[in-house]
Amino acid sequence: MGRFLVRRLAQSAVVLLGVTLVVFLLLQLVPGDPVRVALGTRFEQDTYDALRERAGLDRPLPVQYLSYVGNALTGDLGVSFRSGDPVTGIVLERLPATLTLAFFAVLFALLVSFPLGILSAVKNGSVLDHVARVFSQFGVSVPDFWMGILAIILFTGVLGWLPPSGYTPLGEDPVDWFKHLVLPSVTVGLVTAAILTRFIRSSVLEAMSEDYVRTAEGKGLSPRRVVTRHVLRNALIPVVTVAAVQLASLLGGVIVIEVLFAWPGLGQLTFDAVRARDYPVLQGAVLLVAALFLLTNLLVDLLYAKLDPRISVR
Amino acid sequence: MSEPVLALEGLTVTFGSARGTARVVDGVDWAVHPGQTLAVVGESGSGKSMTVLSATGLAPRGAKVTGTVRLLGEELTAMSDADRRRARGRHIGFVYQDPMTSLNPVMTVGRQVSEACEEHLGMSKQEGRKRAVELLGLVGIPSPEERVDNYPHQFSGGMRQRVVIAMALANEPEVLIADEATTALDVTTQAQILELVAGLQERLGTAVVWITHDLGVVAGIADRVVVMYGGRIIEQGKVDDLFADPAHPYTQALLAARPQPGVRADRLLTIAGTPPLPTELPPGCAFWPRCPVRGDARCEHEEPPLVEVAPGHEVRSFYRADPAVTEERSA
Ligand SMILES: Nc1ncnc2c1ncn2[C@@H]1O[C@H](COP(=O)(O)OP(=O)(O)OP(=O)(O)O)[C@@H](O)[C@H]1O
Ligand SMILES: [Mg+2]
């Protein structure tokens, strides 16, 4: 177990290093001078040179990269071109909003997909099953931003129940916080919910036709026990893997939806940083999202090994 | 003779489909008595599994089951689903063909064995565990105290089948139904399992229904034999009578096709053709299209009745076939 963790953490570190390199190289390919963009149209040559030097842009590329990585290891991600503030502070400040959104999106997706997927398989062919199948078909085929726009039109424009966008900190006004949270998290979670529902349904159906389920029925266990003890435990093992992949694409969805709903998280930050050519901030945000992603994967792998005794974690 | 433990009367299983009704099991009658072994033999698809599954309430979705099934004198077919389920769990043990797939891969074998005791005998978890250790020992698994917490993938095929047998015996059932229980095992393991079941049967007085297509096994263990073809019983009788004096051309061909010591494999008889599909059963005798004898003009159009040719020995045929003729014509 300990060795497994160490190995996986080392792997994650290598991947993160790769991410920094790729982002760094990509930014070199983008035409235009970020310092010029940051300074606007009218500026003194001295100011320009000073800023370039402070950002280290006057040094050779390999040196720039290595010093970036070296600093990153100490928690220093450089300073924003635009505001001059440390990037680490800027990205960490945005983290809670994104985590909140992602957490509630996942919560929504799980709360919908598990009961719906399981019941739809157990009651195969019932009305509920048909509803579940229409839901997952719909959720899979409609893009999330489009769903978000429709949701805003319906719940804000027509019904007037929820605010169209924005964010209220939890400490300030919990009710308002929640109202702002509903639309973006449901929008982000819906696609995941749809995909998971469909996958859980087929996985449960498949498990129900396994020989060991007939064995359990032969023992005269109640149908409920057969499902909870024998079908679900087996059916959910592959679901964990798919859920992990979905989680990754959900992080992607969060970025788009944050912009749509003016949600002050990492997505919004990334979007703004791209527009302002604020490369250090962009790099920092991407790095943090990548780290989140790797962390989730690690947790999922541990969970997987816990669920399936055939996999030994060493 | 004592009351039968499990008795089937006119058990019929049909499936409705777009291409018509499939009669998968048709009017099957048989019974097993305490401590006795009934062998059910027949080619693949003849309805052996479907018979016992439907009789015990395990028929697949869409199956229409009619007829009467009595378990310890109680009419299983008249019970509510829940009562039938409880009766099945309490009084019947099942051993299935493939021990690689019939055990739940993510549950310890101990839990799988004790589960039924907890469900039907009201045992606590600790009592169930003790019982599981005891049963694993009974079926010959070494150091059961340690093995009880292992998962199925930590056992070999033969050991897994022992676990399945332990599971089947958990509630000291009155009847054990083994459906091709040794087919997936190698010959040595097969012999060990057969010996194990025979020993347990003697000690516990369990009735056994042994489903197989291996007539070689039948000779060694069975008291009575039921031969199925196309969902129907075509011959049944005491094992000695049936082996010594088979009356149906199909049984005769099966016996002649059985590998025997001293007979070279390439000299063995094979029955030409394939068994009928349950949706396309012929109007007369189901075996007629493949029958080497065709001893009566009615066979093609009229279903032969089951007639007694000797006390307790019944054949579904209009005539009594001569084994020599059958063998000669099929060769
Ligand atoms: N769900 C189902 N729907 C329709 N027909 C079925 C279904 N399940 C089984 N059958 C048919 O029932 C017939 C009898 O099957 P069964 O499994 O009882 O045969 P068997 O004698 O046990 O054969 P084997 O030796 O291969 O186990 C087969 O022809 C099969 O095609
Ligand atoms: Mg079978």
Side-chain angles (χ1 to χ4, degrees), chain B residues 28-152:
Chain B
V28 166
D29 301 303
W30 52 244
V32 247
H33 294 266
Q36 302 256 297
T37 299
L38 174 80
V40 180
V41 301
E43 277 167 294
S44 190
S46 55
K48 308 181 294 292
S49 301
M50 201 57 74
T51 303
V52 290
L53 291 176
S54 309
T56 53
L58 293 171
R61 262 168 177 254
K64 190 167 168 289
V65 183
T66 56
T68 313
V69 177
R70 266 180 249 279
L71 175 65
L72 302 167
E74 301 252 9
E75 206 176 317
L76 212 51
T77 28
M79 290 179 187
S80 71
D81 284 353
D83 286 343
R84 182 165 42 240
R85 171 168 74 66
R86 278 188 279 270
R88 176 175 68 227
R90 179 66 192 80
H91 304 293
I92 306 177
F94 292 90
V95 182
Y96 305 93
Q97 174 167 355
D98 189 353
M100 294 308 188
T101 58
S102 55
L103 289 168
N104 183 343
V106 301
M107 197 188 250
T108 64
V109 296
R111 291 288 302 138
Q112 296 190 56
V113 171
S114 64
E115 200 175 29
C117 309
E118 287 162 29
E119 178 95 12
H120 300 290
L121 304 179
M123 284 190 189
S124 69
K125 270 200 169 170
Q126 287 99 315
E127 289 168 331
R129 192 188 147 89
K130 259 180 68 187
R131 176 97 180 111
V133 172
E134 190 185 304
L135 283 160
L136 291 177
L138 182 74
V139 297
I141 288 176
S143 42
E145 306 81 14
E146 288 146 44
R147 299 298 255 159
V148 71
D149 293 321
N150 284 172
Y151 289 91

Side-chain angles (χ1 to χ4, degrees), chain A residues 93-104:
Chain A
E93 192 195 350
R94 298 295 191 102
L95 186 59
T98 294
L99 285 185
T100 309
L101 182 54
F103 176 79
F104 279 90

Side-chain angles (χ1 to χ4, degrees), chain A residues 203-216:
Chain A
S203 187
V204 171
L205 272 181
E206 197 182 310
M208 285 200 306
S209 69
E210 294 284 352
D211 282 356
Y212 53 77
V213 172
R214 194 195 46 200
T215 308

Side-chain angles (χ1 to χ4, degrees), chain A residues 220-240:
Chain A
L221 303 185
S222 69
R224 194 194 188 91
R225 286 245 162 100
V226 172
V227 170
T228 52
R229 276 199 204 154
H230 294 273
V231 175
L232 289 188
R233 207 34 221 290
N234 281 285
L236 296 186
I237 292 172
V239 171
V240 169

